[in-house]
Amino acid sequence: EMPAERWHTWEPLLPAPRAFALQVTRRLDVCRPQTRGLVEAAAVLGVHASLASAAALADVEDVISAVDEAVDVGLVQIRDDGLRNVGFVHPLVRAAIYEQLGPARRVQLHVRAAGLVDDQGAALRHRVLVTAPPDTGLADELEAFARREARAGAWAGAASTLLEASRMSADRERREHRLLQAVDAMIGAGDLIHANSFVRQAVGFPAGPLRDATMGYLAVLSGRVGEAEALLHAAWEQCDPAADPDVAAVVAQRLALHGVGRLRGGEVVEWARRALELAVPDDPVRVEAQALLGLGLSWQGRLQEGVAAYE
């Protein structure tokens, strides 16, 4: 029922099958306008939402009566924490309600939601859903948020945000750079299947250290040793550590990881130390390099140094 490209987005909001959606909309159609408004607002906010936020978004005053009717027809359920949060009985119910919203109503709700929610990531997602690319300012905000997600180790969140930043970028170089960063974050999240589907686009990008390092990282975790070796060393040869230490630190850390896969303690130590010299203090690459350094030292028989590195 769907175009193939919809499956190739990152964490897509997929629609419910038509037969199921018809059942849901029939239940929605018997509801009073206030109940319908509350349920539609909740669908825009997510599978689970704050009842207060949904009521404010829908401008519903008699919240209890609206929730009672929505529960009665089997659209939502109240969670165990009292009346603070409301959730859909199944994610497909939420998808069916969201899909039946007209474009104008959807835009109106997302615009209002962006100003209501406290979470910055949620606010950015609402803005993305009502913004036609390109939008350079929004792309920059998304990239900055993705960096914060990465520092916290939230790689899946960083990946989805960077994909949107890429889509919103007007400049081709920035668009490609952000897509490569998104693929790198997907690999960090352990989603090699999605990373493989997106890296096919990257094959056609101009050669460069970030492109080769990202593809080499995927090759390392996919067990393609020869390909990883060639790509990562090509990435290092293209690096300029003085001009772009961030990318050079990434390449060095990936080479250290490649050394782990080949059980070569000396290479792990060499490349981990280069990554540590190049990475700034709050860079996740630095933390990963520190972990690899202790492992490499222990493989060289330098157990006390390895333990000290971990400490």
Side-chain angles (χ1 to χ4, degrees), residues 154-178:
W155 294 113
S160 60
T161 307
L162 284 164
L163 271 183
E164 292 298 348
S166 173
R167 193 171 65 88
M168 288 288 167
S169 302
D171 177 71
R172 191 189 76 175
E173 185 176 344
R174 295 301 302 155
R175 188 164 56 248
E176 292 177 353
H177 184 84
R178 285 163 171 161

Side-chain angles (χ1 to χ4, degrees), residues 1 15-22 92 96:
E1 296 182 6
R18 279 194 287 266
F20 182 87
L22 184 60
L92 283 178

Side-chain angles (χ1 to χ4, degrees), residues 29-84:
D29 287 342
V30 303
C31 294
R32 292 174 296 127
Q34 282 213 332
T35 303
R36 185 184 189 112
L38 182 71
V39 171
E40 289 178 343
V44 166
L45 292 172
V47 177
H48 301 289
S50 155
L51 186 55
S53 296
L57 182 56
D59 200 19
V60 171
E61 294 181 1
D62 189 358
V63 181
I64 302 302
S65 176
V67 168
D68 189 56
E69 184 178 25
V71 170
D72 191 49
V73 298
L75 294 175
V76 302
Q77 57 191 2
I78 298 298
R79 303 184 70 186
D80 295 336
D81 51 6
L83 288 173
R84 287 194 295 273

Side-chain angles (χ1 to χ4, degrees), residues 98-174:
Y98 183 84
E99 287 289 323
Q100 61 83 44
L101 290 170
R105 174 72 169 153
R106 195 178 293 183
V107 168
Q108 177 195 41
L109 289 172
H110 278 299
V111 169
R112 292 189 63 190
L116 278 174
V117 295
D118 295 327
D119 180 76
Q120 186 187 7
L124 285 168
R125 283 192 291 275
H126 286 300
R127 289 172 59 194
V128 162
L129 289 167
V130 295
T131 303
D135 187 314
T136 302
L138 181 54
D140 290 343
E141 287 184 64
L142 288 163
E143 184 177 16
F145 180 76
R147 281 198 296 269
R148 291 194 291 275
E149 290 283 275
R151 283 197 293 270
W155 294 113
S160 60
T161 307
L162 284 164
L163 271 183
E164 292 298 348
S166 173
R167 193 171 65 88
M168 288 288 167
S169 302
D171 177 71
R172 191 189 76 175
E173 185 176 344
R174 295 301 302 155

Side-chain angles (χ1 to χ4, degrees), residues 28 43 48 80 99 126 144 155 180-181 203 210 234 256-257 260 304:
L28 190 63
H48 301 289
D80 295 336
E99 287 289 323
H126 286 300
W155 294 113
L180 288 169
Q181 289 180 310
V203 171
L210 184 59
L257 184 65
V260 170
Q304 289 186 339

Side-chain angles (χ1 to χ4, degrees), residues 224-234 255 258 262 264 267:
R224 302 193 298 270
V225 178
E227 183 182 343
E229 178 88 7
L231 284 165
L232 291 173
H233 282 283
L255 279 160
H258 178 53
R262 305 189 77 182
R264 294 180 175 176
E267 290 183 13

